[in-house]
Amino acid sequence: MMRIALIGVPFDGYGRAGHQAIAAQAMRDAGISAAWAALEVVTDEDILLPAQTPERGIATTLMNEPALVAMTQNLSAAVARAVASDTFPCVIGGDCSALLGIMAGVGGQSGGVGLLVLDGHEDTIPLDVSEDGEAANVEIGLLLGVTGRTMSGPLAELVPTLAPQRLAMIGARDDSWRRRFNVASVEGLGAYARGAPAAALAPEHVGREAAAFVTDTGNSWWLHVDLDVLDPEQFPAQRVPGTQDEPGGLTPDQLVGVMVSAARHPGLIGVSLAIYDPDQDVDGAGAQTINLLVREVAVALAER
């Protein structure tokens, strides 16, 4: 039976108390371990982080820089330990900047590791035009090496490089926002990209196609889910309170379709779930949606 290592990320990209920093514990309290029941959870730990701050750092220009650097370092180590011990990491909480640590942690895999990202945004905004300094808007650009040349300090040393041919982005609906910054889609770099309308129309097909794409030149791959890929009307516990996210997005059933069809493809070595704000989930409906996603993926993995 596949063994699962739950790794919590108590990080909030804005340096706030609560919000995404408490997401991992809220997911535990709502039963995410039981949602993996088709498999076996053998470890469950949070990575350690310093006190968080909303101030922008000098080395990266990003908010909450000390915690961001520590998160990348400590998450990289935790993911590497899990993979080395033949357990399947499930990273929970925080935001999509966790991918910096995740991809560093799996960087030692033979042939490299592909990355399939389900996200409402492509996250390639250059550091020098980032309006708020939120790391969750820039991490894909940093991983691809198309941005980040102005970055210094420890994070510049930690971020691995991902070839566009090993990246699939599904569910983005931020075209108009990227146009404000003159940022093109990653598809133009050679990555696989299907926006929210295409994924909603044929979720199973898109999931299979994307997983095949990221393993075309190597067997191992990671599945990351930013929960803002969901329609905010159906999953309001995302993004920043008081701000309006782009309309549209996938339904939970459509997201399940993409995730399950992709997870059946060989070579999946880990999964991450981010952008969940328990402070905006007073009735727990968002947490139960997350459990639904995990249960369906667990069954798909158990059946492989």
Side-chain angles (χ1 to χ4, degrees):
M1 178 183 289
M2 181 181 287
R3 304 186 312 151
I4 307 297
L6 283 179
I7 303 172
V9 180
F11 175 80
D12 184 88
Y14 287 94
R16 302 168 297 181
H19 300 287
Q20 292 159 5
I22 60 171
Q25 188 57 51
M27 290 183 195
R28 292 185 184 100
D29 294 342
I32 195 169
S33 184
W36 280 108
L39 304 173
E40 180 188 8
V41 175
V42 294
T43 62
D44 183 357
E45 61 177 354
D46 275 350
I47 61 169
L48 297 176
L49 297 179
Q52 303 188 49
T53 172
E55 295 178 5
R56 297 178 73 156
I58 295 173
T60 65
T61 73
L62 297 171
M63 287 191 294
N64 202 11
E65 184 179 283
L68 175 64
V69 172
M71 183 265 289
T72 304
Q73 293 170 327
N74 296 342
L75 182 56
S76 172
V79 167
R81 283 195 303 271
V83 173
S85 64
D86 199 29
T87 53
F88 182 94
C90 173
V91 176
I92 56 174
D95 60 33
C96 45
S97 63
L99 283 170
L100 302 175
I102 289 167
M103 297 307 288
V106 298
Q109 298 296 298
S110 175
V113 173
L115 176 61
L116 195 167
V117 178
L118 282 148
D119 196 330
H121 314 82
E122 289 199 1
D123 295 342
T124 53
I125 300 301
L127 295 176
D128 59 352
V129 298
S130 175
E131 294 174 306
D132 58 11
E134 184 189 8
N137 290 332
V138 305
E139 85 288 342
I140 297 298
L142 296 179
L143 288 171
L144 290 172
V146 298
T147 63
R149 295 176 186 87
T150 61
M151 190 165 62
S152 62
L155 197 62
E157 308 279 332
L158 288 166
V159 176
T161 300
L162 175 69
Q165 294 76 20
R166 301 302 305 275
L167 171 67
M169 300 281 310
I170 299 175
R173 55 184 192 277
D174 65 339
D175 289 358
S176 61
W177 191 65
R178 282 187 288 104
R179 278 196 295 270
R180 288 177 50 202
F181 303 98
N182 197 31
V183 174
S185 171
V186 295
E187 187 172 21
L189 301 173
Y192 177 99
R194 297 292 184 272
L201 186 64
E204 291 83 6
H205 171 75
V206 168
R208 287 191 298 269
E209 194 173 63
F213 179 90
V214 300
T215 55
D216 185 53
T217 58
N219 294 327
S220 299
W221 64 286
W222 187 279
L223 174 62
H224 174 80
V225 181
D226 241 37
L227 291 157
D228 65 17
V229 74
L230 290 165
D231 187 326
E233 293 294 322
Q234 300 202 35
F235 190 87
Q238 57 171 280
R239 303 302 289 174
V240 181
T243 65
Q244 194 72 24
D245 204 350
E246 290 82 4
L250 303 184
T251 67
D253 286 345
Q254 290 164 345
L255 180 53
V256 165
V258 178
M259 292 177 66
V260 168
S261 61
R264 291 188 175 124
H265 190 81
L268 180 61
I269 62 169
V271 64
S272 42
L273 297 148
I275 306 289
Y276 166 57
D277 184 352
D279 288 334
Q280 298 183 79
D281 188 28
V282 292
D283 63 356
Q288 294 311 311
T289 295
I290 295 169
N291 287 343
L292 167 68
L293 302 176
V294 170
R295 278 195 300 271
E296 295 295 332
V297 168
V299 170
L301 291 172
E303 291 174 348
R304 288 198 319 192

